[in-house]
Amino acid sequence: MEALKQALLALTHNVYNFTAAPGTAPPYLVWQVDGGNDLSAGNIHVETAAVVIVDLFTKQAADPLAQSVPRAMEGIGASWYLNSTQYETETGLYHYEWYVEVV
């Protein structure tokens, strides 16, 4: 998990666990553990991975961070996919959401 956190911090200092600090100006990243994904063999857990959600909140539809986040995840050997991209009318922010598996 520390490798993911450090990879995100290399992109921006605005990285938070669960929720951004009050008054944080976008863009910012939020991450949280959503569960696990284990590989079992011989009735034991051979490999375990944490499933993490990484969210980017930004005012820019084409924010460069949206391209940098996947590269950062690949740089630490994490498996990932972009789950959704949406515009949140209540906040006026674009919201990118990735699911990441970290061993």
Side-chain angles (χ1 to χ4, degrees):
M1 198 61 58
E2 187 62 25
L4 176 62
K5 181 180 171 184
Q6 292 305 315
L8 297 176
L9 283 168
L11 303 176
T12 177
H13 66 280
N14 287 334
V15 176
Y16 302 92
N17 188 218
F18 290 105
T19 187
T24 299
Y28 57 87
L29 297 166
V30 176
W31 64 274
Q32 61 189 1
V33 176
D34 189 51
N37 189 5
D38 297 353
L39 173 64
S40 298
N43 292 325
I44 61 169
H45 294 275
V46 178
E47 190 74 60
T48 60
V51 178
V52 181
I53 300 171
V54 175
D55 299 285
L56 166 62
F57 296 93
T58 180
K59 290 188 181 247
Q60 299 179 43
D63 194 307
L65 278 174
Q67 302 302 315
S68 299
V69 169
R71 286 194 298 269
M73 292 183 289
E74 286 179 2
I76 62 166
S79 173
W80 63 272
Y81 66 91
L82 179 64
N83 188 56
S84 70
T85 303
Q86 51 203 304
Y87 180 75
E88 298 184 357
T89 55
E90 312 83 45
T91 62
L93 297 176
Y94 294 92
H95 178 190
Y96 295 80
E97 178 186 70
W98 293 272
Y99 274 74
V100 186
E101 290 194 15
V102 182
V103 177

